Amino acid sequence: MDANLEKYILDHISPEPEHLRQLYRHTHLYNLYPRMCSGHHQGRILAMLASMIKPRVALELGTFTGYSALCLAEGMEPGTTLHTIEINDEMEDSLRDLFATAPTGGTDIVLHIGDAESIIPGLDVENMGLIYIDANKRHYRRYLELLLPRLKGGTFLIADNTLWDGKVANADLEPDAQTQGILDFNNFVASHARLENVILPLRDGLTLIRVKI
């Protein structure tokens, strides 16, 4: 996106809460791959979608430094629960400290450390109204295959990075493992009879998915 247009957008949307601004800065100063952090624009979209969908229970795959989890929790109503899964056990202490002290809007954030493929089967996904997928791109389709048979009609999913730097549309490149994972996921979603979806060209691609009733 043109830098001037991006600045215009950021100047004309709801401001980034101060605790998230500080977390975003800290992520860029002290973490590898800080681009993985959602940031102001996408964070406001996640909070808005959560407030529109109003899930009583939600799930996030891929916590990273906790920015997107806080945005989702912000949009959820008091007394709700957000489960978030992070595979990197080195993040556990900082994430637990963050969720214990940062504003969560009355949402209980439950942190799971480990592989999402192992943790998902033990979660009560039948009652989850919103699921945000932002974990290992190679396994996106597998995550959805584990979730979908247990999801009720009307459940919403959000998948991040589904345009993958435009590589998904570049037929001249031999796809690497992550690109192939996103391609497999996009094709699976587009062809599945139970799913309807739209891809938003926001940052690296954001796909909104609804399980048909």
Side-chain angles (χ1 to χ4, degrees):
M1 180 184 295
D2 176 82
N4 290 329
L5 184 58
E6 183 174 15
K7 182 180 185 304
Y8 181 86
I9 291 172
L10 295 178
D11 288 344
H12 289 82
I13 63 174
S14 297
E16 183 179 34
E18 178 60 23
H19 68 283
L20 291 177
R21 188 193 68 79
Q22 293 180 9
L23 177 57
Y24 187 80
R25 183 173 185 273
H26 186 276
T27 298
H28 278 72
L29 288 174
Y30 299 106
N31 291 269
L32 293 174
Y33 312 114
R35 186 187 176 203
M36 292 165 55
C37 189
S38 295
H40 181 187
H41 190 190
Q42 186 166 325
R44 292 306 84 204
I45 289 176
L46 293 176
M48 180 73 76
L49 289 171
S51 68
M52 294 168 68
I53 297 167
K54 300 184 183 303
R56 299 303 302 170
V57 184
L59 172 64
E60 175 184 53
L61 308 183
T63 319
F64 191 39
T65 58
Y67 190 105
S68 53
L70 291 178
C71 292
L72 291 168
E74 176 188 337
M76 295 171 67
E77 296 182 343
T80 55
T81 301
L82 170 65
H83 293 269
T84 182
I85 302 174
E86 173 55 44
I87 196 169
N88 184 0
D89 58 4
E90 293 183 357
M91 303 293 293
E92 181 173 7
D93 290 343
S94 62
L95 286 170
R96 293 198 185 282
D97 289 344
L98 175 70
F99 296 150
T101 58
T104 63
T107 294
D108 181 24
I109 301 180
V110 180
L111 175 65
H112 304 265
I113 297 295
D115 182 3
E117 291 188 53
S118 300
I119 293 171
I120 288 172
L123 297 178
D124 184 19
V125 300
E126 289 84 355
N127 292 317
M128 291 179 177
L130 174 62
I131 297 170
Y132 179 50
I133 302 174
D134 190 19
N136 190 327
K137 314 310 167 192
R138 298 173 179 85
H139 300 159
Y140 266 32
R141 174 170 173 170
R142 178 57 180 160
Y143 300 146
L144 188 52
E145 288 175 333
L146 286 171
L147 292 163
L148 190 53
R150 300 167 59 196
L151 297 181
K152 295 178 180 178
T155 301
F156 286 89
L157 301 97
I158 307 169
D160 197 15
N161 305 114
T162 51
L163 295 180
W164 203 234
D165 281 332
K167 293 179 182 179
V168 293
N170 193 334
D172 295 330
L173 289 178
E174 182 69 25
D176 55 70
Q178 290 184 314
T179 303
Q180 189 61 56
I182 294 295
L183 286 168
D184 290 344
F185 175 81
N186 289 345
N187 290 335
F188 181 79
V189 171
S191 62
H192 200 288
R194 285 193 70 203
L195 303 176
E196 54 188 8
N197 76 297
V198 61
I199 299 176
L200 304 179
L202 170 72
R203 292 186 72 201
D204 203 20
L206 196 68
T207 298
L208 308 184
I209 304 166
R210 179 176 176 273
V211 182
K212 295 179 183 179
I213 296 175

